[in-house]
Amino acid sequence: MNRPLRPADTSFAHLIRQKNLIDGQWVGADDGSSFDVTDPATGEVVATVPNAGTDETRRAIDAAHAAFPAYSTMPLGQRVALMRKLHDAILDNLEPMAAMMTAEQGKPLAEARAEVASSAAYVLWFAEEARRTDGAVIPSPVAGRKLMTTRHPVGVVAAITPWNFPSSMLARKLGPALAAGCTVIVKPASATPLSALVWGHLAEQCGFPPGVVNIVTGSARAIGAEITSNPKVRKITFTGSTEIGKQLLAEASGTVKRMSMELGGNAPFIVFDDADLDAAIDGAIIAKFRNAGQTCVCTNRLFVQAGIYDRFVERFAARVSALKVAPGNEDGAEQGPLVDTQALDKIEELVADALSKGGDLVAGGAPHARGGLFYQPTVIAGATPDMRVTTEEIFGPVAPVYRFETESDVIASANDTEYGLACYAYTRDLARMFRLQDQLEYGLIGINEVLIVMPEIPFGGLKESGLGKEGSWQGINDYLETKYTCIGGL
């Protein structure tokens, strides 16, 4: 279980936790089973963690349930102080946490550093928001009565987090839950559990009481089934695919849990003739190839107006071809590996489909010479609606580029999807900016900007891209219940 780490891992070896955190104790799976966490850039084993299931999850839920009364009534100042300590601890460990994330997930180290810093920012934001979860006194229409509302933590929260942003996605869930006074069970993705386990370690070091934060790794089916069916869990927050989100919603309906869902996307990136072409290309590189294209807000479809289409494609393809593909810990790495062989296989299928339907390959289009899970950054011009890349979430470094003629045409094409998470547009026309804001059916809209996510904004999608918001003052609301009280006879 506690196998030695390979020498390259010494920078974060002191943070590695290879057991689960349940009720303040670090424990393995009941049956002793485990699974390896591997570096997608090299295939080497980084760590080995428990393959837990139903019984371990039930004990974690019981621990969170038992810890809830004391934690939810902890004086606000103490709770805020704990969260501020957690914020500081994350920043104090930024470099080793980033190195750990690169090792288990594969993203370039610079991106991992930014994610850890963002995680700390969410914790601090929600520590401050905890002071603003106040209620209201309502003017009474009847004499002799006082009407008021108060807000209370919802209870035990189960957080299910994805592999592509293993720290920041947890921060968006753990931050508001702890700020509201909830206790938490975390089920991280099996591909990237180490970033979640270190959060458990830091929470313990900062003084959060036993049972407040519990981390369980293992079988998604067994852990998920216990979470959705156990009546002690009052809220589930999930980031992942729309397919799994729908399944969780159905399974949790029996106990009528509160649900937050951040699901799939099919983000359009629209470039109008009047756009700043240099800025648009810079934005497209970031929006498409950050984390090797493996993000829910990543550009899926690039729409470029006919007047600048050829210039855009030529210059964009040249920039894409120059991206440095390398292991995330190599100096200058701009794109790391895909997460696993299934992801690589899907990318190859999508590219083959697009080329068979008339797509023009202008950059990449094949596995990288480095081998393994590396794939060339790819641009396909002449993309058409009948290609799979139009309707399926690509989740990889492939950029299909579509030509459009008019604003109304591209808005219709951009909205022609069941998803509604993020979209981007480049234009200098102020009136058009407001028309886009009104007519694009997306929860997140970036105009002349692509790095638009931060703790201050409400992150969440429309349509089948999810329910609820993460971040901003709205982000803590899903972790609070409102009670109304009428006092008469006054």
Side-chain angles (χ1 to χ4, degrees):
M1 180 73 183
N2 291 307
R3 68 174 64 185
L5 301 175
R6 51 191 174 84
D9 293 333
T10 54
S11 68
F12 59 84
H14 63 292
L15 290 181
I16 288 279
R17 292 297 178 271
Q18 300 186 84
K19 292 185 177 181
N20 286 174
L21 179 61
I22 299 177
D23 200 16
Q25 302 295 315
W26 292 95
V27 296
D30 289 354
D31 62 4
S33 63
S34 61
F35 61 92
D36 291 336
V37 180
T38 58
D39 185 337
T42 64
E44 295 179 291
V45 173
V46 180
T48 303
V49 300
N51 187 27
T54 302
D55 291 341
E56 298 91 334
T57 306
R58 186 173 297 133
R59 287 200 299 276
I61 293 170
D62 288 343
H65 186 258
F68 176 73
Y71 183 69
S72 63
T73 56
M74 177 184 287
L76 178 61
Q78 292 182 28
R79 199 159 70 234
V80 170
L82 286 175
M83 295 194 67
R84 286 184 174 276
K85 287 178 68 176
L86 181 58
H87 163 267
D88 294 346
I90 294 168
L91 291 184
D92 289 343
N93 290 279
L94 188 150
E95 285 298 328
M97 287 179 70
M100 177 190 294
M101 188 188 304
T102 292
E104 68 172 338
Q105 200 274 339
K107 66 181 57 178
L109 190 55
E111 293 185 19
R113 288 191 185 106
E115 180 175 342
V116 175
S118 169
S119 302
Y122 275 97
V123 172
L124 182 59
W125 171 265
F126 285 112
E128 295 168 345
E129 283 300 294
R131 298 186 183 279
R132 289 181 279 277
T133 57
D134 46 4
V137 175
I138 303 167
S140 175
V142 179
R145 296 183 183 181
K146 286 291 185 183
L147 316 180
M148 65 185 70
T149 60
T150 52
R151 304 176 78 196
H152 307 264
V154 67
V156 175
V157 172
I160 303 174
T161 57
W163 55 264
N164 56 342
F165 288 91
S167 185
S168 62
M169 296 299 102
L170 180 54
R172 293 184 195 172
K173 303 175 189 306
L174 203 61
L178 294 177
C182 299
T183 54
V184 187
I185 306 99
V186 177
K187 195 289 178 195
S190 293
T192 56
L194 303 181
S195 292
L197 289 169
V198 78
W199 275 73
H201 166 63
L202 295 179
E204 182 181 49
Q205 294 296 304
C206 291
F208 282 90
V212 172
V213 177
N214 305 272
I215 318 288
V216 183
T217 62
S219 166
R221 183 178 298 277
I223 294 172
E226 181 61 28
I227 284 171
T228 55
S229 63
N230 194 311
K232 292 178 180 177
V233 176
R234 295 312 311 145
K235 173 180 170 60
I236 296 174
T237 172
F238 169 74
T239 298
S241 72
T242 297
E243 177 185 8
I244 299 301
K246 290 178 178 180
Q247 181 180 334
L248 291 171
L249 284 166
E251 291 177 358
S253 64
T255 49
V256 195
K257 302 183 191 305
R258 182 174 291 195
M259 306 290 283
S260 296
M261 296 275 148
E262 197 263 280
L263 307 176
N266 188 357
F269 186 102
I270 306 169
V271 185
F272 289 91
D273 283 344
D274 68 330
D276 179 330
L277 191 56
D278 290 333
I281 291 171
D282 288 343
I285 293 289
I286 296 169
K288 175 69 256 186
F289 296 101
R290 184 167 65 104
N291 201 24
Q294 300 172 119
T295 87
C296 53
V297 297
C298 171
T299 295
N300 215 66
R301 301 164 292 158
L302 286 88
F303 296 97
V304 183
Q305 200 161 17
I308 59 168
Y309 183 90
D310 292 336
R311 281 189 294 149
F312 178 92
V313 168
E314 179 181 4
R315 292 175 58 183
F316 180 57
R319 285 281 303 279
V320 169
S321 298
L323 291 174
K324 181 176 180 178
V325 179
N329 57 8
E330 187 172 309
D331 287 345
E334 295 175 288
Q335 180 189 300
L338 295 173
V339 68
D340 55 29
T341 55
Q342 290 82 3
L344 182 64
D345 291 344
K346 181 181 179 182
I347 293 302
E348 292 188 285
E349 289 177 10
L350 292 177
V351 170
D353 173 79
L355 298 182
S356 72
K357 294 173 180 174
D360 180 15
L361 185 65
V362 292
H368 197 273
R370 285 182 174 271
L373 297 175
F374 291 94
Y375 195 86
Q376 295 175 356
T378 296
V379 179
I380 299 173
T384 56
D386 62 331
M387 297 174 181
R388 287 176 57 189
V389 290
T390 304
T391 56
E392 297 184 29
E393 193 170 18
I394 297 171
F395 240 65
V398 176
V401 189
Y402 304 74
R403 186 191 301 265
F404 76 90
E405 296 290 340
T406 68
E407 179 183 314
S408 59
D409 288 342
V410 76
I411 289 173
S413 296
N415 289 338
D416 188 17
T417 173
E418 67 268 32
Y419 300 110
L421 185 54
C423 66
Y424 311 94
Y426 277 75
T427 178
R428 289 189 174 101
D429 186 326
L430 181 60
R432 175 182 286 139
M433 294 178 192
F434 284 101
R435 291 195 297 271
L436 294 173
Q437 199 276 334
D438 285 339
Q439 297 176 41
L440 288 170
E441 298 170 352
Y442 292 85
L444 307 168
I445 302 174
I447 298 179
N448 300 327
E449 294 287 351
V450 294
L451 295 175
I452 61 174
V453 178
M454 58 202 77
E456 293 80 1
I457 66 101
F459 185 102
L462 310 181
K463 299 191 284 190
E464 292 191 13
S465 283
L467 303 168
K469 301 295 181 183
E470 295 184 330
S472 87
W473 60 269
Q474 298 179 44
I476 201 169
N477 286 349
D478 278 344
Y479 298 83
L480 294 166
E481 300 278 19
T482 297
K483 294 182 181 180
Y484 156 66
T485 304
C486 173
I487 301 175
L490 301 178

